[in-house]
Amino acid sequence: TFMELYARSILAFQKYARKSSGNAALELPLAIMTSGDTNAKTLELLEANAYFGLSKSQVTIMKQELVPALMDIDAKIAVKDGKVEKKPHGHGDVHALLHQHGLPQKWTSE
């Protein structure tokens, strides 16, 4: 799977970083942004495969919240059956999620 390939790449970089730094405990972090549609499946995949060799503590799952969906370039709110349609915020949400999880501060202090 793509997740396994990604984990293998991180583990290879981590092995090199440990050797180069002399820090055998060094772990490279991984943040994964999910949505309501992908969150549970992502966690299931990771847990069923023992995080593909990564430690659970080095992986942070960041779930996007839903926001009102827009219909067009004029930013009209999408409504269906009298209710505002919602969708995941998208890639622009990554910076806010990183901040909410305290990852920039954590990563720079490690």
Side-chain angles (χ1 to χ4, degrees), residues 71 77-86:
M71 288 179 22
I77 302 291
V79 177
K80 184 175 183 179
D81 300 325
K83 294 183 180 181
V84 173
E85 291 190 304
K86 294 184 177 183

Side-chain angles (χ1 to χ4, degrees), residues 63-97:
K63 184 180 169 193
Q64 305 176 67
E65 297 303 321
L66 297 177
V67 296
L70 303 178
M71 288 179 22
D72 54 32
I73 196 155
D74 294 323
K76 292 178 188 162
I77 302 291
V79 177
K80 184 175 183 179
D81 300 325
K83 294 183 180 181
V84 173
E85 291 190 304
K86 294 184 177 183
K87 64 174 190 72
H89 191 266
H91 290 42
D93 208 22
V94 70
H95 302 103
L97 288 170

Side-chain angles (χ1 to χ4, degrees), residues 25-104:
L26 185 143
E27 289 186 334
L28 298 179
L30 171 62
I32 302 172
M33 187 170 69
T34 64
S35 68
D37 294 335
T38 62
N39 193 66
K41 291 177 183 177
T42 300
L43 287 170
E44 287 173 19
L45 178 69
L46 289 168
E47 290 172 4
N49 292 281
Y51 283 73
F52 297 102
L54 299 169
S55 72
K56 190 173 181 178
S57 64
Q58 79 187 101
V59 178
T60 302
I61 305 295
M62 306 179 303
K63 184 180 169 193
Q64 305 176 67
E65 297 303 321
L66 297 177
V67 296
L70 303 178
M71 288 179 22
D72 54 32
I73 196 155
D74 294 323
K76 292 178 188 162
I77 302 291
V79 177
K80 184 175 183 179
D81 300 325
K83 294 183 180 181
V84 173
E85 291 190 304
K86 294 184 177 183
K87 64 174 190 72
H89 191 266
H91 290 42
D93 208 22
V94 70
H95 302 103
L97 288 170
L98 287 167
H99 178 73
Q100 288 170 7
H101 286 267
L103 295 180

